[in-house]
Amino acid sequence: MIFKKNVWIIFYFIFIVAFSFYSLLLYFRYYEIEDRRLLSYKYYTEIIAQATNSIFTQEEMLLNTLGNQLLKNSAYKNVEDSKKILDSLLIKDSLLLGFGLADIEGNILLTSTNIKLPKNANLLKNETTKDSFKEVLYSDSIVVGRAMFMKSLSKWVIPLRKAIRDTNGNIIGVINAAMDHNSEYNFLSNLTSAKNKSVMIIKDSVDTKGFYKLYDSSKNTVDDEFLYSRVISKKIINSSIKSIEKKYNLSIDDLRNTNQIIVFKIKDMMEKEAIIGLTYNKKYRLWCLVKNRSNEIYSEFLSVLIVYSLIFIFSFIVFYLLFKNIATSEKRKNDALVFQTLHDTLTLLPNRSYMYKNINRWSRYTTNGYYVLFIDLDNFKNINDKLGHMIGDDILVEVANRLRSYFTEGEMIVRQGGDEFIILKKCKNEKILDSKFLELINEISKTYHIDNKEFRVGLSIGISVYPKDAQTIEELLSLADTAMYEAKKRKNSYCFFSEKMRHNNILKADIEQELRSAIEKNELWMAYQPQINVDGSIHGVEALARWENEKLGFVGPDKFIVVAEETGLMRGLGEFIITTSLRDIKKIQSELNIMFNLSINISVVQLMEADFLEHILQLIENEKFDKSMLTLEITESLSIEDLDEVLPLLLAIRENGIEISLDDFGTGYSSLSILKKLPINELKIDKSFIDEILYDTGQKALVQSIINIGKNFNMKTLAEGVETEEQVAVLKNHMCDIFQGYYFSKPLSNNNLLQYLKHNK
Ligand code: C2E
Ligand code: MG
Ligand code: MG
């Protein structure tokens, strides 16, 4: 689960770890390359240093031999002999280009024949030669002088000087040799041909006069004059010394006293990093220096870097694609899950959660407000019960499809549950609205073809309007629901929420509040309205509930019975009504010693109670009431499906000797076939027919046919709301059996009924 949620976090984590590892690897590789390269400088420097040393050692030996020959038999005193000796050596060594002998004062006494010097040439007086000449006077071995251009040879040479001493050690003279510096037989040229390294031989500073280059293998870039005649920049020398001190903790004098080879890095004149291999030749006072030409550490590292980076990038592209794949499939799963929680599985329409989640965003795009349509299919329960849930589901799916194709994208269609749908529709043109709703009703109630069978479903729509009716969606839904119940009364129609409904709602809330304690407070009682036979004798009474509340005043039963039904108060209220009626009437019957009928109104909710029959039988038993004198009035406005459900109960009631009357007959939908099925003893013709009977011949004909139906089905007929003598006359004419209405008596209290009966006995 954690993995699912954090695929990308894991990816970034792995990336960071891998990147750190990769950086670390590069770091170590860099230093490994550097170490290896620096070591190679050390070896190379060592080779160069040894080669240099051996060249000078070889030349020293030659000069020693020369010195000995000149001393022998004091040959140096004879110019001719000396010249011969010098010339003979020229042939022996191709590196030495010429010789000269100087006295201790620096004056050139003689030279090999190939050299022509000015008459008064003096080595001590020449700026280039004077230091090395002074130096040789105190040295036993040869002294290497500064590189210089010899005019008579037209060549750059390196002077080698050697003092000749007699047996007492006194200097007799100084031999000077000119070593070829520039030719292709250059003394180090073979060794220094390495492409990426340059070699320098540097004459050590005598008396801090500065360092001079003797040889620089990179000389082809600049001219010799520039390279060899100028002292090496103090800046370079100092920074080198500093680098050495820092890395090896050695001073320049320490270096002069060891033959250690050191390698270090400095910034050169161009501020480029340079690698230097350095060692000192103590005997000839020479620094041997190897320097890189190109940054080979970087170039080797760069190729490593490129290879590693390519591997790293490639691996991560693969890795990224893998994670992307995982993430997309996780997202897909997640989306499917979210879809599931926010949609109805049957119709795939959004559900309530979806609506609550999205209502704010959705309503932001509505400028003129919106309608909340609460849709309930009519008689859908019947379809489910009779045809099975499979067909029911198929119809719901088809209804959803029709809704979907009827409404446009921007309108929200929600399955609220069961056979209820909610539609949020933006307000646009008010005028076409009514036709729109009628169209919708037509569309949904068109025939459905499922499994080669045809079905029809009606729908009732309740509508509330934002912002006119309410501000919150919860409230709007509850108002649309209220309006839907109004539409349900007519079926297959729509109804807008009205202020009257709001008022009723409030009143209902008050009624509910007060009704809860009405029985305890003794606010309820029963009134009884007499029912009279054609011959004027008493048939019975109808028990009617009465309630007077201190806050609400007198509340009619048509109002509070509905509230009791909706709020679960009906069972208690029903028990009160039945018990009180049975007790009151039993008492009157006993007192006057007459038997007459008692009709009690029973609401649908009471009929739906699982133990209704047992319960009422128990109450009858308690009051010792004669069952044959009891009629239960059920209203015809019971829906057809309800009638179907209560049929077994009605049969059982009849079997127990209790009669059943169908109240408000003519206002509902019962067909003849239903009437035939139901175990009814009495039809109560609704007051609305009686009211019109004198003026409307149609109504009169209707009443006549109701009475006929009653006769045919062997049922008594009772006319409700009879108010005038004329009405009585017409009804009698039509053979109506029983009459009830203000003409005979209004509903009476317990005591008044006793008086009424005594009086009319
Ligand atoms: P209903 O069962 O059809 O009752 C007849 C109604 O007509 C009674 O109104 C009665 O007072 C009235 N009425 C009778 N004769 C006349 C007349 O000549 N003129 C006029 N204008 N009205 C007349 P009520 O008592 O207000 O009851 C209204 C409805 O409330 C009843 O209709 C019944 O459906 C229901 N109801 C009343 N009491 C009970 C009860 O105890 N239990 C149940 N479940 N429902 C009751
Ligand atoms: Mg009634
Ligand atoms: Mg009635």
Side-chain angles (χ1 to χ4, degrees):
M1 196 60 200
I2 291 168
F3 175 73
K4 274 182 192 173
K5 273 191 186 165
N6 302 312
V7 170
W8 288 114
I9 294 178
I10 292 172
F11 175 79
Y12 293 129
F13 178 74
I14 293 176
F15 180 82
I16 289 167
V17 170
F19 189 78
S20 317
F21 183 72
Y22 157 82
S23 312
L24 214 65
L25 193 70
L26 284 178
Y27 175 85
F28 285 121
R29 280 292 281 140
Y30 179 83
Y31 284 103
E32 184 264 321
I33 290 168
E34 189 183 75
D35 284 351
R36 187 156 39 74
R37 290 284 167 172
L38 293 185
L39 196 65
S40 84
Y41 274 80
K42 193 169 181 178
Y43 292 144
Y44 195 69
T45 311
E46 190 174 4
I47 290 166
I48 298 295
Q50 277 172 10
T52 312
N53 189 57
S54 70
I55 287 166
F56 286 111
T57 310
Q58 199 183 315
E59 302 307 336
E60 180 165 25
M61 272 155 56
L62 204 86
L63 293 194
N64 277 341
T65 322
L66 181 62
N68 289 339
Q69 283 181 16
L70 289 174
L71 278 175
K72 200 172 169 190
N73 306 326
S74 299
Y76 65 90
K77 288 180 181 163
N78 182 317
V79 174
E80 286 311 309
D81 288 351
S82 300
K83 275 210 176 209
K84 261 183 211 161
I85 293 168
L86 294 184
D87 285 347
S88 74
L89 263 183
L90 271 183
I91 311 158
K92 277 191 187 160
D93 191 326
S94 60
L95 262 184
L96 297 181
L97 302 176
F99 297 97
L101 188 65
D103 66 13
I104 199 164
E105 304 295 331
N107 299 309
I108 302 290
L109 301 175
L110 56 95
T111 62
S112 52
T113 43
N114 63 336
I115 292 175
K116 303 277 179 288
L117 290 177
K119 272 252 162 87
N120 51 358
N122 186 308
L123 295 175
L124 267 177
K125 286 178 184 158
N126 184 309
E127 194 54 39
T128 317
T129 55
K130 85 176 180 201
D131 290 331
S132 54
F133 194 81
K134 274 185 200 163
E135 202 183 333
V136 81
L137 299 179
Y138 300 97
S139 175
D140 288 336
S141 54
I142 59 165
V143 167
V144 183
R146 273 171 55 188
M148 57 184 279
F149 188 76
M150 269 189 80
K151 271 190 190 146
S152 61
L153 288 172
S154 292
K155 273 194 162 170
W156 279 86
V157 299
I158 297 170
L160 305 177
R161 308 187 205 286
K162 165 87 187 169
I164 319 172
R165 291 169 210 263
D166 63 15
T167 41
N168 298 325
N170 296 321
I171 299 175
I172 294 160
V174 173
I175 305 173
N176 298 279
M179 192 164 83
D180 194 355
H181 180 280
N182 232 357
S183 84
E184 53 190 287
Y185 310 112
N186 180 319
F187 75 118
L188 281 174
S189 61
N190 293 336
L191 277 169
T192 59
S193 56
K195 236 203 259 164
N196 49 10
K197 295 185 183 71
S198 62
V199 172
M200 268 176 241
I201 308 294
I202 295 165
K203 172 96 180 96
D204 195 12
S205 161
V206 181
D207 304 334
T208 68
K209 290 221 167 83
F211 297 83
Y212 285 91
K213 281 184 196 168
L214 273 190
Y215 173 77
D216 186 340
S217 71
S218 66
K219 64 184 173 186
N220 42 357
T221 54
V222 271
D223 74 337
D224 293 341
E225 184 69 30
F226 183 85
L227 271 178
Y228 302 121
S229 303
R230 294 170 52 161
V231 68
I232 298 174
S233 141
K234 276 230 167 73
K235 199 177 149 196
I236 296 258
I237 298 291
N238 287 339
S239 94
S240 303
I241 290 170
K242 255 190 208 156
S243 298
I244 296 163
E245 275 179 350
K246 198 172 149 198
K247 188 166 177 194
Y248 293 94
N249 201 17
L250 289 173
S251 71
I252 189 151
D253 284 329
D254 293 337
L255 270 179
R256 282 183 179 121
N257 288 320
T258 63
N259 53 357
Q260 201 178 332
I261 299 161
I262 57 167
V263 179
F264 60 97
K265 292 197 287 183
I266 57 162
K267 290 259 180 338
D268 69 5
M269 282 196 292
M270 326 290 237
E271 283 295 312
K272 268 199 196 154
E273 192 159 85
I275 309 167
I276 307 284
L278 184 69
T279 188
Y280 186 66
N281 188 317
K282 199 174 175 185
K283 191 173 175 193
Y284 300 115
R285 297 200 187 187
L286 296 175
W287 294 98
C288 207
L289 185 148
V290 174
K291 177 177 177 276
N292 66 320
R293 285 195 192 176
S294 62
N295 201 334
E296 43 192 290
I297 295 178
Y298 277 119
S299 44
E300 185 178 345
F301 178 69
L302 193 69
S303 54
V304 170
L305 181 77
I306 289 170
V307 172
Y308 280 27
S309 300
L310 282 178
I311 293 172
F312 182 81
I313 291 166
F314 179 75
S315 324
F316 254 89
I317 289 174
V318 172
F319 209 54
Y320 170 78
L321 291 177
L322 193 78
F323 266 77
K324 200 175 151 69
N325 207 2
I326 295 171
T328 10
S329 81
E330 285 308 325
K331 190 178 156 14
R332 227 176 277 141
K333 272 190 220 160
N334 205 35
D335 287 353
L337 218 71
V338 170
F339 185 88
Q340 246 173 46
T341 53
L342 295 180
H343 289 77
D344 165 49
T345 40
L346 178 67
T347 59
L348 299 185
L349 284 178
N351 60 18
R352 278 174 77 96
S353 312
Y354 177 93
M355 180 181 67
Y356 286 127
K357 207 170 166 218
N358 290 288
I359 181 76
N360 284 339
R361 194 166 46 86
W362 181 86
S363 59
R364 233 173 277 147
Y365 299 101
T366 59
T367 39
N368 301 326
Y370 57 89
Y371 302 108
V372 177
L373 276 65
F374 199 105
I375 297 181
D376 187 284
L377 301 183
D378 298 336
N379 303 334
F380 189 74
K381 193 173 172 294
N382 224 10
I383 292 180
N384 259 346
D385 290 352
K386 287 210 179 120
L387 307 171
H389 285 262
M390 299 282 260
I391 301 274
D393 284 356
D394 287 348
I395 291 177
L396 284 175
V397 170
E398 188 49 34
V399 169
N401 287 342
R402 288 187 193 182
L403 287 174
R404 251 192 290 254
S405 55
Y406 188 77
F407 289 99
T408 56
E409 277 284 292
E411 288 155 347
M412 207 191 284
I413 310 167
V414 176
R415 184 173 174 208
Q416 139 96 2
D419 60 346
E420 293 171 345
F421 297 87
I422 296 165
I423 285 153
L424 304 185
K425 180 176 162 48
K426 288 166 189 165
C427 296
K428 279 180 200 146
N429 190 342
E430 295 289 328
K431 277 181 195 150
I432 58 160
L433 201 68
D434 288 312
S435 62
K436 259 263 180 213
F437 291 135
L438 287 176
E439 246 175 59
L440 172 65
I441 290 169
N442 278 338
E443 181 65 29
I444 301 296
S445 45
K446 270 185 197 157
T447 313
Y448 292 82
H449 298 271
I450 290 161
D451 283 355
N452 295 325
K453 284 182 208 132
E454 294 189 348
F455 303 94
R456 300 194 115 221
V457 208
L459 72 163
S460 302
I461 310 173
I463 306 158
S464 60
V465 186
Y466 172 88
K468 181 173 78 72
D469 294 335
Q471 298 301 314
T472 67
I473 183 70
E474 286 87 356
E475 227 180 313
L476 286 163
L477 279 174
S478 136
L479 302 184
D481 191 28
T482 305
M484 193 274 290
Y485 273 101
E486 278 309 304
K488 260 274 157 243
K489 287 181 185 163
R490 297 192 295 274
K491 299 253 158 97
N492 224 23
S493 61
Y494 68 90
C495 177
F496 275 94
F497 177 77
S498 66
E499 282 312 305
K500 199 179 152 203
M501 288 178 207
R502 195 194 301 279
H503 184 253
N504 279 345
N505 275 353
I506 295 167
L507 188 66
K508 269 189 183 173
D510 285 346
I511 289 175
E512 182 193 344
Q513 178 71 20
E514 294 299 318
L515 195 59
R516 288 186 182 277
S517 52
I519 298 177
E520 287 155 41
K521 289 188 191 160
N522 268 329
E523 292 176 351
L524 285 159
W525 78 94
M526 297 307 295
Y528 303 97
Q529 189 174 31
Q531 298 170 326
I532 310 298
N533 288 317
V534 187
D535 59 8
S537 64
I538 183 92
H539 165 74
V541 292
E542 178 181 7
L544 297 161
R546 295 291 176 258
W547 179 32
E548 196 167 358
N549 174 263
E550 58 175 334
K551 180 176 160 195
L552 301 170
F554 185 82
V555 185
D558 46 348
K559 291 213 171 67
F560 70 80
I561 294 289
V562 181
V563 176
E565 283 178 341
E566 286 172 6
T567 54
L569 294 172
M570 198 57 220
R571 190 180 165 92
L573 184 59
E575 186 177 309
F576 168 84
I577 289 166
I578 296 165
T579 311
T580 313
S581 310
L582 292 174
R583 193 172 295 161
D584 286 351
I585 299 307
K586 170 80 186 174
K587 205 174 155 217
I588 293 172
Q589 284 173 344
S590 312
E591 208 169 314
L592 299 179
N593 198 23
I594 50 165
M595 288 308 278
F596 58 93
N597 193 71
L598 168 65
S599 286
I600 301 178
N601 292 286
I602 301 296
S603 103
V604 189
V605 175
Q606 284 173 285
L607 289 181
M608 298 295 178
E609 287 166 10
D611 62 343
F612 175 73
L613 184 58
E614 287 164 41
H615 192 204
I616 197 167
L617 289 175
Q618 183 60 53
L619 299 179
I620 294 167
E621 174 71 31
N622 291 348
E623 303 304 326
K624 305 260 174 305
F625 196 88
D626 182 355
K627 280 191 285 185
S628 66
M629 289 290 119
L630 183 63
T631 301
L632 301 184
E633 286 189 17
I634 58 170
T635 172
E636 203 220 354
S637 60
L638 260 172
S639 63
I640 297 167
E641 57 248 56
D642 292 337
L643 275 179
D644 253 14
E645 203 164 299
V646 298
L647 184 62
L649 173 65
L650 299 181
L651 290 169
I653 291 171
R654 278 295 303 277
E655 273 170 22
N656 275 281
I658 299 168
E659 298 210 330
I660 295 168
S661 170
L662 196 54
D663 203 352
D664 308 327
F665 189 72
T667 57
Y669 294 90
S670 20
S671 60
L672 287 182
S673 61
I674 289 170
L675 265 190
K676 205 171 149 189
K677 261 203 305 196
L678 290 176
I680 306 273
N681 302 89
E682 180 183 79
L683 289 182
K684 285 188 88 170
I685 307 165
D686 194 68
K687 177 176 178 294
S688 56
F689 297 97
I690 312 300
D691 285 344
E692 304 289 318
I693 200 169
L694 297 177
Y695 321 105
D696 189 327
T697 44
Q699 292 293 76
K700 196 168 135 184
L702 212 66
V703 170
Q704 175 68 73
S705 54
I706 292 174
I707 295 169
N708 288 341
I709 290 167
K711 295 267 174 287
N712 283 338
F713 288 126
N714 211 12
M715 296 166 185
K716 286 171 277 180
T717 46
L718 188 154
E720 284 192 281
V722 181
E723 291 181 344
T724 65
E725 201 180 344
E726 290 84 356
Q727 286 172 339
V728 179
V730 174
L731 287 165
K732 272 189 179 165
N733 210 16
H734 288 322
M735 311 286 281
C736 181
D737 300 313
I738 308 162
F739 310 90
Q740 180 185 346
Y742 291 177
Y743 175 71
F744 298 96
S745 170
K746 287 198 169 184
L748 304 167
S749 69
N750 187 11
N751 277 333
N752 288 347
L753 177 65
L754 186 68
Q755 298 310 319
Y756 174 88
L757 288 175
K758 265 186 192 162
H759 196 256
N760 291 292
K761 209 171 176 180

